[in-house]
Amino acid sequence: MSAGPGLEFEQPLQTLEAEVRRLETDAEKTPQQHEELRATKRRLADKTREVYAGLDAWDTVRVARLQDRPKFTDYVELVFDEFVELHGDKFYGDDRALRTGFAKLDGMKVMLVGHHKGKTFKERTECYFGCAHPEGYRKSMSKMKMAAKYGMPIVCLIDTPGAYPGIGAEERGQAQVIAESMLLMSKLPTPIICVVIGEGGSGGALGIGVGDRVAVLEHAYYSVISPEGCAGILWKSHDFADKAARALQLTSKRLQELGAIDDVIEEPLGGAHRDHYQMAARLKQYLVKQLRELSEKPKDQLVADRYEKFRKIGQFLDGGAA
Amino acid sequence: MCRESPLPPIPTAMSIGQSIPPTAATPEEAAPVAATPRPKRGVPSGLWLRCDECGETVFRKEVEQLMSVCPVCGRHMYLSARDRVKFVLDEGTFDEWDADLMPADPLKFADKKPYAERVVAEQKRTGLNDAALTGAGMIRGRRVAFGVTDSAFIMGSMGSVVGERLTRLVERATEQNLPVVIVSGSGGGARMHEGILSLMQMAKVSAALARYGEAGGLFISVLTNPTMGGVAASFASLGDLVFAEPKALIGFAGPRTIKATLRTELPEGFQTSEFLLEHGYIDRIVRRSDLKSEIARTIDYCGK
Ligand SMILES: [Zn+2]
């Protein structure tokens, strides 16, 4: 599977991949050609490992945004056995950037909530590129309440550049719904697992991000502000988005070291976009394992532990001592 | 910023982080105070100052007597956290909590200026050690847990210290069965310089408020100019009642971000207190001079 254009570190990999494809098409291979194919594949694997082990924060942001990375609907297909979409926010409209519905996961009934960025141009426009409006959060809050009422765990897949910045969004209470949603999620008596599958863009991500487990895919990112936004404010130009990304330390590994997330889910070699099936399998394995564990916990313990988990996040000096 | 590629040419901030440049003290666009040099706490010195709203030059003493409100047009100007304490709480009743907490620099963050240096400079300039003051005090004889953010300290943004102080405030109010009053002046939202840890403070404080609410607590949130981004999208919007000072800038995304995304002019009065009242997100617009009695009355109605 080819990766997005324009990522310079993908170029050598794509060249090697093309080479492998060319060698594979020769039906009748001489022993020499067999050897060449094997060697090229080995070189490709080594190079891929090398490139992807060395991605910096800005590279990671660009990988997380790749068009052919698996999106919400891909995971719906590959991870869940069924998805019954529920559209109503009973207030204003059906937000297409934030989707909710019943789903089956390895025989378990769950409420699935997730951002969808869209796969075609038309769909991406409908989804506002994954930027939810207030009605999206109102819808997800009502479905989460329902999940708790009927004893269903909640799975949230986060993939958004941020909540939508627009006139209507402000008029309909963007700040209010994000705040309400975090408050609600912090106390719902049902297991909640949140996974950042691509972009974890600030409040729009955190609005469905308060859970018993918070995980980030290896090459996804999670940040207080977009690198472009940060660069625009602190460096006075968006051209410094790369610097801002590095300063924000938004990669999965650093987020875990900072104690802001629980787990990092490893991606297939060369990123999720190279192997949707394997990525989905790993995500599924993670979700099933965690849900089985969390389902064992008494509900009041679950909510108390969730509180303590977020309670501990933050770093400061107390009384002048470190 | 809602495109994957190509990125739009101008501002693309998804602004939970600062939506307006954190230039020095007074957030220029957000909390227009007055021209003239600005030394300590964003309030200019000198006998006279010019009101940004009506343009009149007014006698500084008179403005101060009116709690930093323009005597000509009623513009509610910048007020420091210490002054807010003075004007809202009964004299001498403020018992500050958690004053020992000091900001750390978990990311070793540096833009044009290292965060560690920025913090020291802001501390010197404002006399605060971070953007929030919290503690207990009395309002017309009613004991409350009181918090205030100061828009002059890195745009009043919330990092780990602000998040921790407010969380402890709410937790203690829960234990002691006190009403909570938080006055927000935070144009900066969640503080970029502490990265993801700042973002997570939104969840932390909101979770504490959830528990407080379930325990029957009364939370009065007072919004002042400006309250944006991650502060607006967390505790500031979670009041049982939400008050706002007149003509404050309040919203999620910064106006410049919205303008750049939509490439259109914004409606007159967009994201002001009055706009929010009209759209149903604010219970009352309260003048600074009335704030104390309005809070006291609310506490009485709720029997707290
Ligand atoms: Zn005036």
Side-chain angles (χ1 to χ4, degrees), chain B residues 50-56 58 69-75 77:
Chain B
R50 199 178 62 83
C51 171
D52 272 12
E53 180 81 5
C54 65
E56 293 288 325
V58 288
V69 172
C70 173
V72 178
C73 71
R75 170 81 192 169
M77 301 182 189

Side-chain angles (χ1 to χ4, degrees), chain A residues 94-141:
Chain A
D94 178 25
D95 190 71
R96 301 312 293 141
L98 194 46
R99 304 188 177 193
T100 62
F102 298 131
K104 286 226 175 90
L105 174 69
D106 200 38
M108 287 179 280
K109 291 174 280 187
V110 303
M111 184 62 79
L112 177 61
V113 174
H115 294 108
H116 185 48
K117 287 180 161 183
K119 293 178 69 78
T120 62
F121 180 76
K122 183 170 171 288
E123 205 190 17
R124 279 196 288 277
T125 312
E126 279 168 12
C127 296
Y128 291 93
F129 303 86
C131 298
H133 280 71
E135 36 280 17
Y137 296 98
R138 289 207 171 87
K139 174 171 68 181
S140 68
M141 278 190 272

Side-chain angles (χ1 to χ4, degrees), chain A residues 25-293:
Chain A
T25 49
D26 291 330
E28 297 287 313
K29 291 187 192 69
T30 64
Q32 203 185 350
Q33 282 170 318
H34 272 297
E35 180 46 40
E36 197 188 344
L37 176 59
R38 258 211 333 268
T40 312
K41 278 186 170 168
R42 208 166 42 235
R43 262 188 13 243
L44 172 61
D46 289 348
K47 189 71 188 164
T48 309
R49 200 166 290 119
E50 180 199 318
V51 166
Y52 271 78
L55 296 187
D56 75 2
W58 176 238
D59 300 331
T60 301
V61 169
R62 291 184 298 160
V63 169
R65 288 174 178 168
L66 282 175
Q67 207 94 198
D68 48 11
R69 237 182 117 79
K71 300 285 186 275
F72 176 79
T73 51
D74 296 309
Y75 290 118
V76 165
E77 288 291 317
L78 299 172
V79 172
F80 299 90
D81 302 321
E82 184 178 61
F83 179 57
V84 183
E85 188 168 2
L86 301 168
H87 295 267
D89 81 327
K90 322 293 163 62
F91 182 75
Y92 182 83
D94 178 25
D95 190 71
R96 301 312 293 141
L98 194 46
R99 304 188 177 193
T100 62
F102 298 131
K104 286 226 175 90
L105 174 69
D106 200 38
M108 287 179 280
K109 291 174 280 187
V110 303
M111 184 62 79
L112 177 61
V113 174
H115 294 108
H116 185 48
K117 287 180 161 183
K119 293 178 69 78
T120 62
F121 180 76
K122 183 170 171 288
E123 205 190 17
R124 279 196 288 277
T125 312
E126 279 168 12
C127 296
Y128 291 93
F129 303 86
C131 298
H133 280 71
E135 36 280 17
Y137 296 98
R138 289 207 171 87
K139 174 171 68 181
S140 68
M141 278 190 272
S142 81
K143 302 318 167 221
M144 286 183 194
K145 279 183 201 157
M146 185 180 173
K149 185 175 171 190
Y150 297 103
M152 265 176 272
I154 300 165
V155 173
C156 299
L157 301 182
I158 297 167
D159 190 10
T160 179
Y164 191 73
I167 295 170
E170 297 288 319
E171 286 174 340
R172 298 193 294 278
Q174 192 72 285
Q176 167 81 27
V177 293
I178 289 172
E180 289 281 353
S181 187
M182 290 187 302
L183 183 143
L184 174 72
M185 292 180 84
S186 76
K187 62 179 184 181
L188 278 180
T190 194
I192 305 175
I193 302 184
C194 309
V195 182
V196 180
I197 56 171
E199 292 191 83
S202 65
L206 187 59
I208 57 165
V210 181
D212 304 298
R213 295 282 185 275
V214 178
V216 175
L217 300 193
E218 186 182 0
H219 303 302
Y221 80 92
Y222 200 173
S223 180
V224 64
I225 183 170
S226 71
E228 288 84 357
C230 180
I233 295 166
L234 295 181
W235 280 267
K236 312 291 175 212
S237 162
H238 297 241
D239 300 340
F240 296 99
D242 56 337
K243 279 201 169 107
R246 288 189 278 271
L248 288 164
Q249 303 187 17
L250 40 69
T251 61
S252 57
K253 186 164 171 276
R254 277 301 284 151
L255 295 166
Q256 194 176 27
E257 286 167 358
L258 287 163
I261 62 166
D262 302 299
D263 298 299
V264 174
I265 303 174
E266 203 186 340
E267 297 195 12
L269 182 61
H273 52 288
R274 284 205 156 67
D275 194 339
H276 287 200
Y277 292 93
Q278 210 192 334
M279 186 68 255
R282 289 183 187 186
L283 176 60
K284 181 171 184 174
Q285 191 186 22
Y286 178 81
L287 293 174
V288 170
K289 178 169 183 285
Q290 300 300 328
L291 276 188
R292 296 224 185 281
E293 261 178 51

Side-chain angles (χ1 to χ4, degrees), chain A residues 129 131 163 172 228 233 307, chain B residues 2 12 14 18 102 171 281:
Chain A
F129 303 86
C131 298
R172 298 193 294 278
E228 288 84 357
I233 295 166
Y307 184 87
Chain B
C2 280
T12 56
M14 297 314 304
Q18 282 149 314
M102 302 283 277
E171 286 177 340
Y281 293 100

